[in-house]
Amino acid sequence: MRPLIAGNWKMNGLSGAAAEVDRLLADFAGSTPDSLDILICPPTTLIAAFASRFENAGLLIGGQDCHPDAFGAHTGDISAEMLIDAGACFVIVGHSERRADHHESDALVRAKAMAALRAGLTPIVCVGESEAQRDAGQAEAVVAQQLKGSLPDTREGDEIVVAYEPVWAIGTGRTPTLADIDAMHASIRRHVGHGVRILYGGSVKPSNAREILARDNVNGALVGGASLTAADFADIIRAA
Ligand code: PEP
C-alpha cells in the first residue's frame, strides 16, 4: 500500500513558515519522492497559500478539523467544503487534542468524517487509548469502540485513513513497543477494509521512524512535533 506521511502542525506556523516547507523541498532537490504521499496539515490560515504554492511540488495539503455542516451560523468553525475550496484534499478528524479540548464525541467525529467525504476530502480519523486505559488492559477494546463510533459510512470509491495515536505517546517522546503497535494495527485492520491506510502517530521521529514504518499494517505516520522542522520531517519521509 502506498505510504502516507502526514505532518500535523497543530496551532503552529505564521506566514513565514512557508520557508520551512521550501527547506523540506530543497532537501529533495525541489520535488518529493513519488513512491509515497506527503501531506502537511498547517493551521487553517495557511492552507490556501500552501496549496497554491506547493501543489506542483508533490505536496498534499490538509486541514486539522472541520464542522459537520457545509455552511451556517457556526462562528469560528470551518466546513469541509471551505477546506476543499482552499485547496486541501485531506482533513484530520477526532484528534485526541480535539476530543479532549473540545469534548468531541465519537458521534461528532463520525459526523465530521461524513462531512469530509461529502465535500470530497479524505478524512484521517484518529483513535487511541489513554495511558490508564492501556495499563488496565483495555487499549484494543477502547480503540475498537472508537472505530465503531467514529468511522463514517463509506460508499464505493470513498477513501478514508485511520490514525492510531495512543494519547500518552503524543508529544511525550514515548512510543508503544513494536509488539504493541503490531497488535493494535492488526486489530484495527480487522475492523477496516484492506484498502484503508492505517497510520501510526505519537512521538514519531527520525530515530524511530524506520522501525515503526516497517511493521505490518503500518501504512504511514501522522507526525506532530517532528513535522515542524524540515530536516526531521525529511528524514521521516526518507525512512518511509
Ligand atoms: C500528533 O499530534 O498527531 C502527534 C503525533 O504528535 P507528536 O508527533 O508530536 O507526538
Side-chain angles (χ1 to χ4, degrees), residues 8 10 92 95-97 126 165 169-173 200-204 222-227:
N8 173 16
K10 312 191 187 192
I92 299 168
H95 191 282
S96 64
E97 287 154 12
C126 299
E165 299 207 302
I170 295 178
T172 60
Y200 169 78
S203 296
V204 174
L222 182 53
V223 184
S227 71

Side-chain angles (χ1 to χ4, degrees), residues 1 5 16 48 51 57 70 73 124 134 144 182 185 191 217:
M1 204 178 293
I5 303 298
I124 300 177
R134 175 157 287 275
D182 287 348
H185 279 242
H191 286 84
N217 289 311

Side-chain angles (χ1 to χ4, degrees), residues 40-234:
I40 294 180
C41 300
T44 309
T45 47
L46 297 181
I47 288 176
F50 275 25
S52 64
R53 182 161 169 167
F54 301 118
E55 69 185 343
N56 293 326
L59 278 185
L60 304 168
I61 304 300
Q64 300 176 11
D65 179 49
C66 66
H67 192 279
D69 292 349
F71 57 88
H74 304 293
T75 303
D77 278 316
I78 183 138
S79 72
E81 281 76 2
M82 290 168 179
L83 291 174
I84 211 158
D85 187 47
C89 44
F90 284 77
V91 62
I92 299 168
V93 293
H95 191 282
S96 64
E97 287 154 12
R98 292 206 62 88
R99 289 179 185 261
D101 296 356
H102 300 274
H103 312 291
E104 294 193 1
S105 64
D106 286 337
L108 179 59
V109 173
R110 183 172 179 278
K112 291 179 174 205
M114 298 282 288
L117 292 174
R118 177 191 67 220
L121 292 168
T122 299
I124 300 177
V125 181
C126 299
V127 292
E129 82 286 356
S130 68
E131 185 156 32
Q133 289 165 332
R134 175 157 287 275
D135 289 347
Q138 296 167 346
E140 285 183 30
V142 165
V143 167
Q145 193 59 38
Q146 288 176 334
L147 290 169
K148 202 162 163 257
S150 310
L151 289 182
D153 293 334
T154 49
R155 297 154 306 179
E156 187 78 30
D158 281 343
E159 191 196 357
I160 63 162
V161 174
V162 170
Y164 167 56
E165 299 207 302
V167 178
W168 52 273
I170 295 178
T172 60
R174 299 163 57 206
T175 52
T177 64
L178 295 176
D180 286 342
I181 292 176
D182 287 348
M184 183 62 83
H185 279 242
S187 167
I188 295 172
R189 177 64 70 207
R190 287 193 285 276
H191 286 84
V192 299
H194 278 285
V196 172
R197 289 185 281 194
I198 306 172
L199 312 185
Y200 169 78
S203 296
V204 174
K205 44 190 183 249
S207 58
N208 62 20
R210 193 171 297 275
E211 60 182 11
I212 292 173
L213 289 164
R215 309 311 289 185
D216 276 354
N217 289 311
V218 176
N219 311 117
L222 182 53
V223 184
S227 71
L228 293 170
T229 309
D232 286 349
F233 200 46

